[in-house]
Amino acid sequence: MAYSEKLIEHYENPRNVGTLDKNDDDVGTGLVGAPACGDVMRLQIKVSDEGVIEDAKFKTFGCGSAIASSSLATEWLKGKTIDQADTIKNSMIAEELNLPPVKIHCSVLAEDAIKSAIADYRAKQAAKRAMK
Amino acid sequence: MDPFATLGVEPRFDLDPAELERRHRELSRALHPDRHAAEPPAQRRLALSRAIEVNEAYRMLKDPIRRAERVLEARGVPIGEGKEPPASGALLMEMMESRETLADAVRAKDAATVARLGDEMRDRERGLLTKLAAALATVSPETSQQAMVLLGELRYTRRFLDEVSAFEEVLAG
């Protein structure tokens, strides 16, 4: 199976590996997994007061395609508004990395991680507003 | 390929390992190229491809995770990406944490910690396999569902233990 250069590049030099403070109100954390293969992926976003994603980090324990998918996702997330980020689809990730069909589920995992990080951030903001 | 049929054993999880090994040995002997050297090429090829199939079936059924998957499949339960129950948030959190702890110990080349983490995970795997055997002992939608959840967790423990083995192999040089 031939993997694309871009995929290999992200796998060998993953961007934005790391952790943000999950207790920070401005940080949304998504933790997702694929029980069919034992992968686990954490993706975090830090959102400015203007609603722009100023930082994104990930940590993935899984195959090369899962690592590359989440690495690319964090690269795309930075600088986007929350609403723009919400429009990222797994098919866009799969296309950009030219994922083989058996690895499409890795891009689905990355989209799930983005959605779940956004949902976590929105829930925190809603809770904060409710407190006021 | 139905690995149970290939090896001529019942499609059940609690197969006797000695019986499995005996079937594999017998079939491999019968299919050995030396025994078919005098036959026409088509027959020789057939024996060879069956020998390969027998080896693959044996490897599949020896591994408890893959054996459980085949047992469920034989019961008509769909297995694979998107067909499995999602992992619980608590399990994912725990696995993320334990993988990070392991990664730190590997990075620090802390063999004692890696060995301890490996032992703990092996204990857990043993416990899960016992539960899996119990779940697969009865055939019902409920027990199949239980088995799927246990399998999901087992794939995480397996991945963890693969990392431990990889580290130990590097260390052993």
Side-chain angles (χ1 to χ4, degrees), chain A residues 34-39 42 59, chain B residues 81 85 96 100 155-156 159:
Chain A
C37 54
D39 283 359
R42 183 184 58 215
K59 192 74 168 278
Chain B
E81 210 59 56
M96 180 53 91
E100 285 183 312
R155 293 194 197 95
Y156 281 104
R159 281 295 184 85

Side-chain angles (χ1 to χ4, degrees), chain A residues 64-105:
Chain A
S65 300
I67 291 168
S69 295
S70 36
S71 169
L72 177 69
T74 54
E75 213 172 42
W76 278 356
L77 285 169
K78 282 197 203 181
K80 282 198 167 60
T81 65
I82 283 285
D83 291 334
Q84 285 167 341
D86 220 359
T87 64
I88 296 176
K89 290 273 169 295
N90 86 281
S91 53
M92 296 152 77
I93 295 169
E95 192 181 331
E96 178 77 8
L97 296 174
N98 202 4
L99 291 181
V102 293
K103 292 292 178 185
I104 296 295
H105 67 271

Side-chain angles (χ1 to χ4, degrees), chain B residues 9-10 15 17 19 23 36 49 67 89 96 110 116 134 137 139 141 145-148 150 163:
Chain B
V9 294
E10 268 188 86
L15 289 172
E19 165 70 7
R23 292 294 302 155
H36 301 268
S49 71
R67 186 168 70 245
M96 180 53 91
D110 180 351
R116 180 177 54 79
V139 184
Q145 187 64 23
Q146 282 168 15
M148 294 276 269
L150 290 164
E163 282 305 307

Side-chain angles (χ1 to χ4, degrees), chain A residues 107-128:
Chain A
S107 62
V108 174
L109 205 57
E111 183 188 327
D112 281 352
I114 295 173
K115 295 269 189 294
S116 128
I118 292 174
D120 181 51
Y121 169 76
R122 284 185 172 145
K124 275 182 177 175
Q125 294 300 308
K128 204 164 85 175

